[in-house]
Amino acid sequence: MVAAKFETRAIILRTAAYGEADRVVTMLGASMGRASALARGARKSAKRFAGGLGMAQEGRAILRERPGAELLVLEEFDVEQVHEGLAGDLGKTAHAAYALELCERLCPPRQPEEPVLAWLSEFLMLLERGRARAERLRVFEIGLLRRLGLGPVLDRCAVCSRGDLGTGNVRWHPDGGGVVCPDCLHRGDIMSGSTRRALVDLADMSLADAESMALDRETNAGCRHALLGLLRSHVSGPLRSLEFIEKMGAG
Ligand SMILES: [Zn+2]
């Protein structure tokens, strides 16, 4: 039986040392979704993977399936975007690490996620060019959730569907799918009307538009809290890169 070889555009989400000479590279690929691959000799020979297989690198991967094995083999990785500009700035490094971790933790294995790959690619490109901004991160978070079919209900009550939520407070119920009106839920996080309306705007915004949009401190904090609650409801265990962002006060 000949193992299937294929080529796909991919972004490196994470790498880990494996044995003395190899690396295991976790990637998000256009045709394969999230998958891990063994890069033989990646730690020993600089020739084999000339780009160094760094986090956030984007390029064309040539991969081989191994019959009966979950781990693919990475034969080649032709780097097209190194995203060098992310490395020199701690805030940018933190935002990139967080975006990569979210994709790694939220994307199901081996399920093509082309819109997610495009979203991550654009986010990294804009982050590299500009500053590490909370607004871009909020749009990325909610856009990622939506592209994975996990977007929250924001424009009506997730329980009774009433749409006249206006400017008043609502309850935020991540496990229940989004916002809930005060008649349906009397417990849980209170979300202000301004936070809810900001989330409605963020959910429809392109990453390019986020570059010129500004959230005041309080609204950003409300959106951040709500989106983190939702993200955490979909991952098990802590988000490692989040601590880095919190320490820097960069999110
Ligand atoms: Zn309701």
Side-chain angles (χ1 to χ4, degrees), residues 27-28 32-35 102-113 116 148 150:
M27 293 182 283
L28 187 67
M32 66 179 183
R34 173 173 65 80
L102 285 183
C103 289
E104 187 199 343
R105 304 284 295 277
L106 288 171
C107 291
R110 301 303 295 270
Q111 204 167 294
E113 304 283 5
V116 174
L148 289 166
L150 306 171

PDB file of all heavy atoms in Angstrom, residues 27-28 32-35 102-113 116 148 150:
ATOM      1  N   MET A  27      -0.277  21.942  12.754  1.00  0.00           N
ATOM      2  CA  MET A  27      -0.588  22.927  11.718  1.00  0.00           C
ATOM      3  C   MET A  27      -2.085  23.029  11.493  1.00  0.00           C
ATOM      4  O   MET A  27      -2.834  22.101  11.784  1.00  0.00           O
ATOM      5  CB  MET A  27       0.054  22.495  10.396  1.00  0.00           C
ATOM      6  CG  MET A  27       1.557  22.531  10.414  1.00  0.00           C
ATOM      7  SD  MET A  27       2.223  22.053   8.813  1.00  0.00           S
ATOM      8  CE  MET A  27       2.011  20.327   8.914  1.00  0.00           C
ATOM      9  N   LEU A  28      -2.466  24.177  10.932  1.00  0.00           N
ATOM     10  CA  LEU A  28      -3.820  24.319  10.410  1.00  0.00           C
ATOM     11  C   LEU A  28      -3.663  24.380   8.898  1.00  0.00           C
ATOM     12  O   LEU A  28      -3.005  25.283   8.378  1.00  0.00           O
ATOM     13  CB  LEU A  28      -4.470  25.594  10.946  1.00  0.00           C
ATOM     14  CG  LEU A  28      -5.945  25.768  10.603  1.00  0.00           C
ATOM     15  CD1 LEU A  28      -6.797  24.715  11.302  1.00  0.00           C
ATOM     16  CD2 LEU A  28      -6.435  27.154  11.000  1.00  0.00           C
ATOM     17  N   MET A  32      -6.724  19.955   5.184  1.00  0.00           N
ATOM     18  CA  MET A  32      -6.749  18.913   6.222  1.00  0.00           C
ATOM     19  C   MET A  32      -7.214  19.424   7.576  1.00  0.00           C
ATOM     20  O   MET A  32      -7.399  18.647   8.500  1.00  0.00           O
ATOM     21  CB  MET A  32      -5.352  18.327   6.388  1.00  0.00           C
ATOM     22  CG  MET A  32      -4.388  19.362   6.927  1.00  0.00           C
ATOM     23  SD  MET A  32      -2.749  18.758   7.164  1.00  0.00           S
ATOM     24  CE  MET A  32      -1.958  20.191   7.859  1.00  0.00           C
ATOM     25  N   GLY A  33      -7.388  20.749   7.727  1.00  0.00           N
ATOM     26  CA  GLY A  33      -7.740  21.280   9.044  1.00  0.00           C
ATOM     27  C   GLY A  33      -6.567  21.181   9.996  1.00  0.00           C
ATOM     28  O   GLY A  33      -5.417  21.240   9.574  1.00  0.00           O
ATOM     29  N   ARG A  34      -6.865  21.003  11.276  1.00  0.00           N
ATOM     30  CA  ARG A  34      -5.787  20.913  12.264  1.00  0.00           C
ATOM     31  C   ARG A  34      -5.231  19.491  12.288  1.00  0.00           C
ATOM     32  O   ARG A  34      -5.992  18.529  12.381  1.00  0.00           O
ATOM     33  CB  ARG A  34      -6.309  21.272  13.657  1.00  0.00           C
ATOM     34  CG  ARG A  34      -5.277  21.027  14.751  1.00  0.00           C
ATOM     35  CD  ARG A  34      -5.733  21.536  16.094  1.00  0.00           C
ATOM     36  NE  ARG A  34      -6.897  20.849  16.628  1.00  0.00           N
ATOM     37  CZ  ARG A  34      -6.855  19.663  17.249  1.00  0.00           C
ATOM     38  NH1 ARG A  34      -5.714  19.014  17.384  1.00  0.00           N
ATOM     39  NH2 ARG A  34      -7.962  19.117  17.719  1.00  0.00           N
ATOM     40  N   ALA A  35      -3.917  19.395  12.193  1.00  0.00           N
ATOM     41  CA  ALA A  35      -3.287  18.077  12.230  1.00  0.00           C
ATOM     42  C   ALA A  35      -1.851  18.231  12.698  1.00  0.00           C
ATOM     43  O   ALA A  35      -1.254  19.297  12.570  1.00  0.00           O
ATOM     44  CB  ALA A  35      -3.316  17.431  10.847  1.00  0.00           C
ATOM     45  N   LEU A 102      -5.792  29.565  20.228  1.00  0.00           N
ATOM     46  CA  LEU A 102      -7.248  29.447  20.059  1.00  0.00           C
ATOM     47  C   LEU A 102      -7.582  28.529  18.883  1.00  0.00           C
ATOM     48  O   LEU A 102      -8.475  27.683  18.974  1.00  0.00           O
ATOM     49  CB  LEU A 102      -7.889  30.822  19.838  1.00  0.00           C
ATOM     50  CG  LEU A 102      -8.034  31.736  21.053  1.00  0.00           C
ATOM     51  CD1 LEU A 102      -8.755  33.016  20.641  1.00  0.00           C
ATOM     52  CD2 LEU A 102      -8.787  31.052  22.191  1.00  0.00           C
ATOM     53  N   CYS A 103      -6.855  28.693  17.770  1.00  0.00           N
ATOM     54  CA  CYS A 103      -7.119  27.829  16.611  1.00  0.00           C
ATOM     55  C   CYS A 103      -6.796  26.377  16.932  1.00  0.00           C
ATOM     56  O   CYS A 103      -7.529  25.463  16.556  1.00  0.00           O
ATOM     57  CB  CYS A 103      -6.314  28.296  15.399  1.00  0.00           C
ATOM     58  SG  CYS A 103      -6.925  29.852  14.730  1.00  0.00           S
ATOM     59  N   GLU A 104      -5.694  26.183  17.650  1.00  0.00           N
ATOM     60  CA  GLU A 104      -5.305  24.812  17.991  1.00  0.00           C
ATOM     61  C   GLU A 104      -6.344  24.154  18.896  1.00  0.00           C
ATOM     62  O   GLU A 104      -6.692  22.988  18.739  1.00  0.00           O
ATOM     63  CB  GLU A 104      -3.936  24.819  18.682  1.00  0.00           C
ATOM     64  CG  GLU A 104      -3.407  23.415  18.918  1.00  0.00           C
ATOM     65  CD  GLU A 104      -2.322  23.367  19.970  1.00  0.00           C
ATOM     66  OE1 GLU A 104      -1.741  24.412  20.293  1.00  0.00           O
ATOM     67  OE2 GLU A 104      -2.078  22.253  20.480  1.00  0.00           O
ATOM     68  N   ARG A 105      -6.847  24.934  19.853  1.00  0.00           N
ATOM     69  CA  ARG A 105      -7.745  24.347  20.846  1.00  0.00           C
ATOM     70  C   ARG A 105      -9.193  24.241  20.359  1.00  0.00           C
ATOM     71  O   ARG A 105      -9.946  23.386  20.826  1.00  0.00           O
ATOM     72  CB  ARG A 105      -7.703  25.190  22.126  1.00  0.00           C
ATOM     73  CG  ARG A 105      -6.296  25.362  22.723  1.00  0.00           C
ATOM     74  CD  ARG A 105      -5.801  24.139  23.453  1.00  0.00           C
ATOM     75  NE  ARG A 105      -6.583  23.822  24.628  1.00  0.00           N
ATOM     76  CZ  ARG A 105      -6.410  24.395  25.817  1.00  0.00           C
ATOM     77  NH1 ARG A 105      -5.495  25.318  25.983  1.00  0.00           N
ATOM     78  NH2 ARG A 105      -7.161  24.036  26.837  1.00  0.00           N
ATOM     79  N   LEU A 106      -9.590  25.133  19.454  1.00  0.00           N
ATOM     80  CA  LEU A 106     -10.999  25.157  19.041  1.00  0.00           C
ATOM     81  C   LEU A 106     -11.279  24.374  17.755  1.00  0.00           C
ATOM     82  O   LEU A 106     -12.389  23.890  17.563  1.00  0.00           O
ATOM     83  CB  LEU A 106     -11.475  26.604  18.843  1.00  0.00           C
ATOM     84  CG  LEU A 106     -11.665  27.441  20.110  1.00  0.00           C
ATOM     85  CD1 LEU A 106     -11.912  28.896  19.736  1.00  0.00           C
ATOM     86  CD2 LEU A 106     -12.830  26.929  20.947  1.00  0.00           C
ATOM     87  N   CYS A 107     -10.291  24.283  16.858  1.00  0.00           N
ATOM     88  CA  CYS A 107     -10.541  23.579  15.593  1.00  0.00           C
ATOM     89  C   CYS A 107     -10.535  22.077  15.829  1.00  0.00           C
ATOM     90  O   CYS A 107      -9.580  21.549  16.390  1.00  0.00           O
ATOM     91  CB  CYS A 107      -9.470  23.920  14.557  1.00  0.00           C
ATOM     92  SG  CYS A 107      -9.554  25.611  13.970  1.00  0.00           S
ATOM     93  N   PRO A 108     -11.571  21.395  15.388  1.00  0.00           N
ATOM     94  CA  PRO A 108     -11.559  19.936  15.530  1.00  0.00           C
ATOM     95  C   PRO A 108     -10.497  19.333  14.614  1.00  0.00           C
ATOM     96  O   PRO A 108     -10.165  19.931  13.588  1.00  0.00           O
ATOM     97  CB  PRO A 108     -12.967  19.522  15.091  1.00  0.00           C
ATOM     98  CG  PRO A 108     -13.502  20.663  14.320  1.00  0.00           C
ATOM     99  CD  PRO A 108     -12.776  21.895  14.736  1.00  0.00           C
ATOM    100  N   PRO A 109      -9.938  18.177  14.963  1.00  0.00           N
ATOM    101  CA  PRO A 109      -8.879  17.596  14.139  1.00  0.00           C
ATOM    102  C   PRO A 109      -9.383  17.128  12.779  1.00  0.00           C
ATOM    103  O   PRO A 109     -10.507  16.660  12.659  1.00  0.00           O
ATOM    104  CB  PRO A 109      -8.380  16.408  14.975  1.00  0.00           C
ATOM    105  CG  PRO A 109      -9.497  16.081  15.899  1.00  0.00           C
ATOM    106  CD  PRO A 109     -10.247  17.353  16.144  1.00  0.00           C
ATOM    107  N   ARG A 110      -8.538  17.294  11.782  1.00  0.00           N
ATOM    108  CA  ARG A 110      -8.745  16.777  10.426  1.00  0.00           C
ATOM    109  C   ARG A 110     -10.085  17.166   9.813  1.00  0.00           C
ATOM    110  O   ARG A 110     -10.739  16.368   9.163  1.00  0.00           O
ATOM    111  CB  ARG A 110      -8.581  15.247  10.402  1.00  0.00           C
ATOM    112  CG  ARG A 110      -7.231  14.745  10.874  1.00  0.00           C
ATOM    113  CD  ARG A 110      -6.055  15.306  10.109  1.00  0.00           C
ATOM    114  NE  ARG A 110      -5.976  14.930   8.720  1.00  0.00           N
ATOM    115  CZ  ARG A 110      -5.343  13.849   8.260  1.00  0.00           C
ATOM    116  NH1 ARG A 110      -4.726  13.044   9.089  1.00  0.00           N
ATOM    117  NH2 ARG A 110      -5.292  13.593   6.981  1.00  0.00           N
ATOM    118  N   GLN A 111     -10.488  18.396  10.046  1.00  0.00           N
ATOM    119  CA  GLN A 111     -11.718  18.883   9.443  1.00  0.00           C
ATOM    120  C   GLN A 111     -11.368  20.172   8.712  1.00  0.00           C
ATOM    121  O   GLN A 111     -10.975  21.140   9.367  1.00  0.00           O
ATOM    122  CB  GLN A 111     -12.729  19.159  10.550  1.00  0.00           C
ATOM    123  CG  GLN A 111     -14.164  19.119  10.096  1.00  0.00           C
ATOM    124  CD  GLN A 111     -15.087  19.079  11.302  1.00  0.00           C
ATOM    125  OE1 GLN A 111     -15.105  18.110  12.045  1.00  0.00           O
ATOM    126  NE2 GLN A 111     -15.826  20.147  11.519  1.00  0.00           N
ATOM    127  N   PRO A 112     -11.443  20.195   7.386  1.00  0.00           N
ATOM    128  CA  PRO A 112     -11.006  21.384   6.656  1.00  0.00           C
ATOM    129  C   PRO A 112     -11.704  22.644   7.161  1.00  0.00           C
ATOM    130  O   PRO A 112     -12.918  22.655   7.326  1.00  0.00           O
ATOM    131  CB  PRO A 112     -11.408  21.077   5.211  1.00  0.00           C
ATOM    132  CG  PRO A 112     -11.486  19.599   5.145  1.00  0.00           C
ATOM    133  CD  PRO A 112     -11.941  19.150   6.500  1.00  0.00           C
ATOM    134  N   GLU A 113     -10.919  23.675   7.446  1.00  0.00           N
ATOM    135  CA  GLU A 113     -11.465  24.930   7.973  1.00  0.00           C
ATOM    136  C   GLU A 113     -10.874  26.079   7.176  1.00  0.00           C
ATOM    137  O   GLU A 113     -10.174  26.926   7.719  1.00  0.00           O
ATOM    138  CB  GLU A 113     -11.096  25.105   9.457  1.00  0.00           C
ATOM    139  CG  GLU A 113     -11.506  23.994  10.391  1.00  0.00           C
ATOM    140  CD  GLU A 113     -12.979  24.020  10.744  1.00  0.00           C
ATOM    141  OE1 GLU A 113     -13.712  24.858  10.189  1.00  0.00           O
ATOM    142  OE2 GLU A 113     -13.391  23.192  11.557  1.00  0.00           O
ATOM    143  N   VAL A 116     -11.330  29.588   8.508  1.00  0.00           N
ATOM    144  CA  VAL A 116     -10.543  29.839   9.721  1.00  0.00           C
ATOM    145  C   VAL A 116      -9.090  30.115   9.352  1.00  0.00           C
ATOM    146  O   VAL A 116      -8.454  31.025   9.893  1.00  0.00           O
ATOM    147  CB  VAL A 116     -10.637  28.641  10.707  1.00  0.00           C
ATOM    148  CG1 VAL A 116      -9.704  28.841  11.892  1.00  0.00           C
ATOM    149  CG2 VAL A 116     -12.071  28.464  11.184  1.00  0.00           C
ATOM    150  N   LEU A 148     -16.431  28.859  13.239  1.00  0.00           N
ATOM    151  CA  LEU A 148     -16.483  27.464  13.700  1.00  0.00           C
ATOM    152  C   LEU A 148     -17.907  27.054  14.089  1.00  0.00           C
ATOM    153  O   LEU A 148     -18.123  25.977  14.648  1.00  0.00           O
ATOM    154  CB  LEU A 148     -15.534  27.278  14.894  1.00  0.00           C
ATOM    155  CG  LEU A 148     -14.047  27.323  14.533  1.00  0.00           C
ATOM    156  CD1 LEU A 148     -13.193  27.471  15.782  1.00  0.00           C
ATOM    157  CD2 LEU A 148     -13.643  26.067  13.763  1.00  0.00           C
ATOM    158  N   LEU A 150     -19.715  28.508  16.322  1.00  0.00           N
ATOM    159  CA  LEU A 150     -19.879  28.652  17.767  1.00  0.00           C
ATOM    160  C   LEU A 150     -20.242  30.085  18.151  1.00  0.00           C
ATOM    161  O   LEU A 150     -20.145  30.472  19.312  1.00  0.00           O
ATOM    162  CB  LEU A 150     -18.571  28.253  18.485  1.00  0.00           C
ATOM    163  CG  LEU A 150     -17.999  26.867  18.160  1.00  0.00           C
ATOM    164  CD1 LEU A 150     -16.610  26.713  18.776  1.00  0.00           C
ATOM    165  CD2 LEU A 150     -18.920  25.766  18.672  1.00  0.00           C
TER     166      LEU A 150
END
